[in-house]
Short mmCIF file of all heavy atoms in Angstrom, two decimals:
data_model
loop_
_atom_site.label_atom_id
_atom_site.label_comp_id
_atom_site.label_asym_id
_atom_site.label_seq_id
_atom_site.Cartn_x
_atom_site.Cartn_y
_atom_site.Cartn_z
N ALA A 416 -9.74 3.73 -19.76
CA ALA A 416 -9.88 5.03 -19.11
C ALA A 416 -9.45 6.17 -19.99
O ALA A 416 -10.11 7.24 -20.04
CB ALA A 416 -9.03 5.07 -17.80
N LEU A 417 -8.38 5.99 -20.74
CA LEU A 417 -7.93 7.04 -21.68
C LEU A 417 -8.97 7.24 -22.76
O LEU A 417 -9.26 8.40 -23.16
CB LEU A 417 -6.60 6.64 -22.33
CG LEU A 417 -5.36 6.61 -21.33
CD1 LEU A 417 -4.20 5.91 -22.00
CD2 LEU A 417 -4.99 8.03 -20.96
N SER A 418 -9.55 6.20 -23.27
CA SER A 418 -10.58 6.31 -24.31
C SER A 418 -11.79 7.07 -23.83
O SER A 418 -12.41 7.83 -24.55
CB SER A 418 -11.02 4.92 -24.81
OG SER A 418 -9.93 4.22 -25.39
N GLU A 419 -12.10 6.91 -22.56
CA GLU A 419 -13.29 7.55 -21.95
C GLU A 419 -13.07 8.99 -21.53
O GLU A 419 -14.00 9.78 -21.57
CB GLU A 419 -13.76 6.69 -20.73
CG GLU A 419 -14.30 5.36 -21.08
CD GLU A 419 -14.50 4.42 -19.90
OE1 GLU A 419 -14.06 4.82 -18.77
OE2 GLU A 419 -15.12 3.36 -20.07
N GLU A 420 -11.81 9.31 -21.15
CA GLU A 420 -11.62 10.63 -20.51
C GLU A 420 -10.51 11.51 -21.09
O GLU A 420 -10.43 12.68 -20.71
CB GLU A 420 -11.31 10.43 -19.02
CG GLU A 420 -12.44 9.66 -18.26
CD GLU A 420 -13.71 10.43 -18.16
OE1 GLU A 420 -13.72 11.66 -18.40
OE2 GLU A 420 -14.76 9.81 -17.82
N ALA A 421 -9.63 11.01 -21.97
CA ALA A 421 -8.50 11.77 -22.44
C ALA A 421 -8.67 12.21 -23.85
O ALA A 421 -9.47 11.64 -24.64
CB ALA A 421 -7.22 10.96 -22.30
N ASP A 422 -7.93 13.23 -24.24
CA ASP A 422 -7.86 13.71 -25.64
C ASP A 422 -6.54 13.32 -26.31
O ASP A 422 -6.49 13.03 -27.46
CB ASP A 422 -8.06 15.22 -25.72
CG ASP A 422 -9.42 15.67 -25.16
OD1 ASP A 422 -10.43 15.35 -25.80
OD2 ASP A 422 -9.44 16.27 -24.06
N VAL A 423 -5.47 13.37 -25.49
CA VAL A 423 -4.15 13.02 -26.00
C VAL A 423 -3.48 12.08 -24.96
O VAL A 423 -3.54 12.34 -23.77
CB VAL A 423 -3.24 14.27 -26.18
CG1 VAL A 423 -1.88 13.87 -26.67
CG2 VAL A 423 -3.89 15.27 -27.16
N ALA A 424 -2.88 11.01 -25.47
CA ALA A 424 -2.15 10.11 -24.58
C ALA A 424 -0.72 9.99 -25.08
O ALA A 424 -0.46 9.68 -26.25
CB ALA A 424 -2.80 8.74 -24.58
N ILE A 425 0.22 10.29 -24.22
CA ILE A 425 1.64 10.08 -24.50
C ILE A 425 2.07 8.87 -23.70
O ILE A 425 2.17 8.90 -22.48
CB ILE A 425 2.47 11.31 -24.14
CG1 ILE A 425 1.98 12.53 -24.99
CG2 ILE A 425 3.96 11.05 -24.41
CD1 ILE A 425 2.77 13.79 -24.73
N LEU A 426 2.31 7.78 -24.42
CA LEU A 426 2.66 6.52 -23.77
C LEU A 426 4.17 6.47 -23.56
O LEU A 426 4.95 6.73 -24.47
CB LEU A 426 2.21 5.34 -24.62
CG LEU A 426 0.68 5.33 -24.87
CD1 LEU A 426 0.31 4.11 -25.75
CD2 LEU A 426 -0.13 5.32 -23.59
N THR A 427 4.54 6.11 -22.32
CA THR A 427 5.98 6.18 -21.97
C THR A 427 6.32 5.01 -20.99
O THR A 427 5.57 4.07 -20.86
CB THR A 427 6.28 7.56 -21.37
OG1 THR A 427 7.70 7.68 -21.18
CG2 THR A 427 5.58 7.77 -20.04
N THR A 428 7.43 5.15 -20.31
CA THR A 428 7.92 4.15 -19.39
C THR A 428 7.46 4.45 -17.98
O THR A 428 7.50 5.58 -17.54
CB THR A 428 9.46 4.10 -19.44
OG1 THR A 428 9.90 3.87 -20.77
CG2 THR A 428 9.99 3.00 -18.54
N ASP A 429 7.08 3.40 -17.24
CA ASP A 429 6.78 3.54 -15.80
C ASP A 429 7.89 2.80 -15.05
O ASP A 429 9.00 3.25 -15.02
CB ASP A 429 5.38 2.93 -15.51
CG ASP A 429 4.87 3.26 -14.11
OD1 ASP A 429 5.50 2.74 -13.16
OD2 ASP A 429 3.89 3.96 -13.98
N ASP A 430 7.57 1.62 -14.50
CA ASP A 430 8.56 0.76 -13.85
C ASP A 430 8.58 -0.53 -14.69
O ASP A 430 7.87 -1.46 -14.38
CB ASP A 430 8.21 0.42 -12.43
CG ASP A 430 8.38 1.62 -11.49
OD1 ASP A 430 9.18 2.49 -11.79
OD2 ASP A 430 7.74 1.65 -10.42
N PRO A 431 9.35 -0.60 -15.76
CA PRO A 431 9.22 -1.73 -16.67
C PRO A 431 9.75 -3.05 -16.14
O PRO A 431 9.45 -4.09 -16.71
CB PRO A 431 10.12 -1.26 -17.88
CG PRO A 431 11.10 -0.33 -17.28
CD PRO A 431 10.37 0.40 -16.16
N ALA A 432 10.47 -2.99 -15.06
CA ALA A 432 11.07 -4.26 -14.48
C ALA A 432 11.88 -4.95 -15.58
O ALA A 432 12.78 -4.40 -16.14
CB ALA A 432 10.01 -5.13 -13.87
N TYR A 433 11.50 -6.22 -15.88
CA TYR A 433 12.26 -6.97 -16.87
C TYR A 433 11.62 -7.00 -18.24
O TYR A 433 12.06 -7.69 -19.15
CB TYR A 433 12.45 -8.42 -16.41
CG TYR A 433 13.34 -8.56 -15.17
CD1 TYR A 433 12.76 -8.63 -13.92
CD2 TYR A 433 14.73 -8.55 -15.27
CE1 TYR A 433 13.57 -8.71 -12.77
CE2 TYR A 433 15.52 -8.62 -14.13
CZ TYR A 433 14.94 -8.70 -12.90
OH TYR A 433 15.75 -8.79 -11.77
N GLU A 434 10.54 -6.22 -18.42
CA GLU A 434 9.82 -6.16 -19.69
C GLU A 434 10.33 -5.01 -20.55
O GLU A 434 10.91 -4.03 -20.04
CB GLU A 434 8.33 -6.05 -19.45
CG GLU A 434 7.64 -7.26 -18.92
CD GLU A 434 6.11 -7.17 -19.04
OE1 GLU A 434 5.62 -7.14 -20.18
OE2 GLU A 434 5.47 -7.11 -18.00
N ASP A 435 10.05 -5.08 -21.85
CA ASP A 435 10.33 -4.04 -22.78
C ASP A 435 9.27 -2.96 -22.63
O ASP A 435 8.08 -3.23 -22.91
CB ASP A 435 10.35 -4.59 -24.22
CG ASP A 435 10.63 -3.52 -25.24
OD1 ASP A 435 10.68 -2.31 -24.91
OD2 ASP A 435 10.78 -3.89 -26.46
N PRO A 436 9.64 -1.75 -22.22
CA PRO A 436 8.60 -0.70 -22.00
C PRO A 436 7.78 -0.37 -23.26
O PRO A 436 6.65 0.04 -23.15
CB PRO A 436 9.39 0.50 -21.47
CG PRO A 436 10.82 0.21 -21.85
CD PRO A 436 10.97 -1.26 -21.88
N LYS A 437 8.41 -0.52 -24.43
CA LYS A 437 7.70 -0.23 -25.67
C LYS A 437 6.57 -1.24 -25.87
O LYS A 437 5.44 -0.88 -26.26
CB LYS A 437 8.67 -0.30 -26.85
CG LYS A 437 7.99 -0.01 -28.20
CD LYS A 437 7.64 1.44 -28.35
CE LYS A 437 6.96 1.76 -29.70
NZ LYS A 437 7.83 1.50 -30.84
N LYS A 438 6.80 -2.50 -25.55
CA LYS A 438 5.75 -3.51 -25.66
C LYS A 438 4.63 -3.30 -24.68
O LYS A 438 3.46 -3.52 -24.99
CB LYS A 438 6.39 -4.90 -25.47
CG LYS A 438 7.24 -5.34 -26.63
CD LYS A 438 7.75 -6.76 -26.47
CE LYS A 438 8.58 -7.20 -27.67
NZ LYS A 438 9.10 -8.60 -27.52
#
Side-chain angles (χ1 to χ4, degrees):
L417 291 166
S418 298
E419 293 169 350
E420 302 293 345
D422 299 292
V423 179
I425 298 181
L426 302 181
T427 188
T428 304
D429 190 294
D430 288 336
Y433 293 97
E434 288 193 66
D435 179 352
K437 180 71 180 298
K438 289 184 178 179

